[in-house]
Amino acid sequence: MSDLTQCVLTPDVPTEGFAPLGAGVHRASTIVFKDAAAYASRGERGREGYSYGLYGTPTTRTLEAKLTSLEGGAWTFLTPSGQAANALAVLPFLAAGDHILIADTAYPPMRDLAETDLHRLGVEVDFFDPRSPDDVASKMRKSTRIVWCESPGSTTMEISDLPRIAAIAHAQGALVGVDNTWATPLNFKPLDHGADIVTEALTKFVSGHSDVLMGSITVRDESLIKPIRSLIGRMGIGVSPDDASLVLRGFETLGVRLRHSERVALDFARRIEGHPLVKAVLHPALASFSDHALWKRDFLGSSGVFSIVFTEEASTQVAASLDALKIFAIGASWGGTRSLAAPMSIKGFRSATAWNGPDVILRLSIGLEDEKELWDDMERFLGVLETRANGAVSDASQRTTRHG
C-alpha cells in the first residue's frame, strides 16, 4: 500500500480493555458500511442505528440517553439551542388552521416565534394565564393542537398546575409541552405530571459553564418521535459532538452545582425580601410567594434563579446601580459558575395577564463564588441603589416645590 493511501486510511486499533470514565468524542459526517448490502439497507437501522453524522454519533447518543433517563421519556433529540428546542418541539404538530395556546409568561423568543412565524404559517395563536387552568379550558378549541407551558414562568416565576392543564388539553386531543429550563430534570419532571414534550436549554444549568449552546427535546410517547426526527432531518439540524461532550462533562457536576445555587439563592432571597426598597421577591421556594404551595406539591427543589421587584422609585435606578457590582456579572443568561444580574422588562411581553409592578425587575442567577463575598457585592449594589433612589425622590420633590 502506497504512502499516500496509508495517509488517508486509518488503521483499526483494539479498544478492548479501554474503559475511560468520560464519553469519547466521535466526530463524523460520513459513516461507512461494511459492504454494499449494508449500505442498501441503511434505512432499516432505525433511530438507534448510525447512517450519517447529522442523525447522531455515539457522543450525542450518550447525552440523549442520559436526558431520556432523567426526564423519564421515550427519546431525546438535541438541538443547537434552547429556543431551537422550543421551536422544533411545536412545529411538527402545527399546520395552517391549527391553534396553539401559550403561557403568557413564556420565554419571549417563544412568544415572538408564535406571533411572527406561526402567524405567517396560518397558525392561530392565543395566550393564557399560567395560573388559571380555567383560562386554558375557556380558550381551548377543536383546532387546538398544543398547549405550551413554562413553569416557573420566565423571569416572574409563576407556577402552573400542570396536571390540571394537561388533563384539560388531553381531553380535547391536544399535546402539552413544557419548557423546563429553570428547574432542570433534577427539580421537576414534567412528563410525570402529564406533559407530552419537555424542552431544556442545556446551555444553562446542565452544561453549567457558560461556554456552549445546546437544547433538548424529550418526548413521553414513541408516536411523537418520528414527526420531530423527520422535521429535524428535513431542516438539516444537528449538534456538534464536541459541544455534546462539553455538556456531558458539565452534567456530571449538575447535582452539586444546583444544590449549592439553590441554597445560596434562597438565603439571599430571604435576606433581600426585608429590604425597604424591595416590593417583592419572586422565588417559588419562598413561603411568601403566591404559588409556593403548588411549587412544594410538584417540584423536587428549586434553582439558583430568582427575581426582585423594587419600589417604583428604586426600579428606575436599577440599571445605573448595577455598575456597583464587582463579583456579579451583568448578563442575561443563567446557570453557569458565575453569578449574573440582569434587568428585565416585563410589560411588553404580556397580553393575557396584567403586570402591575414596575416594568423593570432584576433577575439574579447565583453561581459558585464565595457566598459571603457575593452577599457583600449585593449589599454594595443595594447601598448604591438606595442612595440613587433617595436622590431621585429628593430631586422630584424639589421640582414639585419649585413648580408649585
Side-chain angles (χ1 to χ4, degrees):
M1 188 180 293
S2 75
D3 288 351
L4 289 178
T5 301
Q6 289 189 71
C7 284
V8 175
L9 270 60
T10 301
D12 289 326
V13 296
T15 58
E16 184 179 352
F18 180 73
L21 288 172
V25 181
H26 297 267
R27 303 182 187 92
S29 55
T30 298
I31 292 170
V32 298
F33 301 81
K34 65 178 182 179
D35 52 38
Y39 178 75
S41 62
R42 65 191 183 281
E44 300 172 13
R45 292 187 168 192
R47 62 178 180 269
E48 295 185 6
Y50 298 103
S51 59
Y52 190 65
L54 183 68
Y55 302 106
T57 70
T59 309
T60 57
R61 292 284 171 80
T62 301
L63 178 53
E64 290 168 353
K66 181 172 285 197
L67 285 159
T68 300
S69 177
L70 281 168
E71 302 279 14
W75 191 262
T76 295
F77 300 93
L78 301 179
T79 64
S81 70
Q83 176 55 18
N86 293 341
L88 291 165
V90 301
L91 283 169
F93 308 103
L94 294 169
D98 288 342
H99 177 239
I100 184 172
L101 269 175
I102 300 175
D104 204 36
T105 53
Y107 184 46
M110 188 61 176
R111 173 182 284 268
D112 193 20
L113 172 79
E115 294 180 323
T116 304
D117 299 291
L118 295 185
H119 268 311
R120 178 174 51 82
L121 296 173
V123 176
E124 296 183 73
V125 177
D126 274 323
F127 296 91
F128 67 89
D129 182 346
R131 286 178 164 144
S132 175
D134 290 340
D135 193 36
V136 174
S138 71
K139 291 176 177 175
M140 291 291 295
R141 307 179 191 175
K142 290 182 179 179
S143 59
T144 304
R145 299 289 174 260
I146 300 174
V147 177
W148 186 261
C149 304
E150 182 176 332
S151 183
S154 185
T155 304
T156 45
M157 305 292 162
E158 293 87 347
I159 304 289
S160 296
D161 190 337
L162 185 58
R164 283 188 63 196
I165 290 173
I168 291 165
H170 291 158
Q172 298 196 40
L175 296 171
V176 176
V178 178
D179 182 337
N180 194 46
T181 301
W182 180 88
T184 82
L186 297 191
N187 284 333
F188 188 48
K189 299 185 185 293
L191 301 184
D192 289 346
H193 293 271
D196 302 288
I197 302 168
V198 58
T199 62
E200 309 278 356
L202 304 176
T203 305
K204 296 181 169 66
F205 276 118
V206 177
S207 68
H209 291 78
S210 306
D211 59 358
V212 62
L213 291 164
M214 196 171 293
S216 65
I217 306 167
T218 304
V219 296
R220 183 172 63 175
D221 297 324
E222 292 207 358
S223 62
L224 303 177
I225 295 173
K226 186 175 180 180
I228 298 174
R229 177 182 169 86
S230 297
L231 179 64
I232 286 175
R234 290 194 300 271
M235 298 186 76
I237 291 171
V239 301
S240 159
D242 294 88
D243 287 348
S245 73
L246 290 175
V247 177
L248 281 164
R249 176 180 285 188
F251 223 141
E252 294 188 14
T253 60
L254 173 62
V256 292
R257 288 186 290 104
L258 196 60
R259 293 299 161 242
H260 173 85
S261 296
E262 174 186 35
R263 179 183 61 79
V264 177
L266 187 53
D267 177 53
F268 281 22
R270 287 170 175 153
R271 293 199 218 180
I272 292 168
E273 196 173 24
H275 195 279
L277 292 182
V278 173
K279 189 175 179 180
V281 175
L282 307 179
H283 192 312
L286 284 177
S288 59
F289 188 68
S290 57
D291 299 330
H292 176 71
L294 200 55
W295 168 82
K296 194 171 183 180
R297 185 194 76 182
D298 292 346
F299 284 69
L300 303 171
S302 64
S303 80
V305 179
F306 67 98
S307 298
I308 307 167
V309 183
F310 291 98
T311 62
E312 291 286 352
E313 297 79 14
S315 66
T316 60
Q317 305 300 318
V318 167
S321 301
L322 289 177
D323 289 343
L325 294 169
K326 305 300 181 186
I327 297 178
F328 276 92
I330 302 171
S333 191
W334 74 62
T337 60
R338 185 76 182 270
S339 294
L340 297 174
M344 309 295 290
S345 179
I346 304 299
K347 290 183 179 178
F349 302 102
R350 295 288 186 274
S351 58
T353 58
W355 174 253
N356 297 318
D359 180 43
V360 175
I361 66 177
L362 184 66
R363 188 177 69 197
L364 299 180
S365 171
I366 302 300
L368 303 183
E369 303 91 344
D370 179 86
E371 57 191 277
K372 182 184 182 304
E373 293 181 347
L374 202 58
W375 178 250
D376 289 345
D377 204 36
M378 180 52 52
E379 284 194 315
R380 182 164 41 247
F381 159 74
L382 291 171
V384 171
L385 179 63
E386 191 164 13
T387 299
R388 294 184 68 91
N390 289 338
V393 170
S394 176
D395 290 345
S397 176
Q398 290 176 17
R399 286 196 297 271
T400 302
T401 301
R402 285 198 301 268
H403 294 291

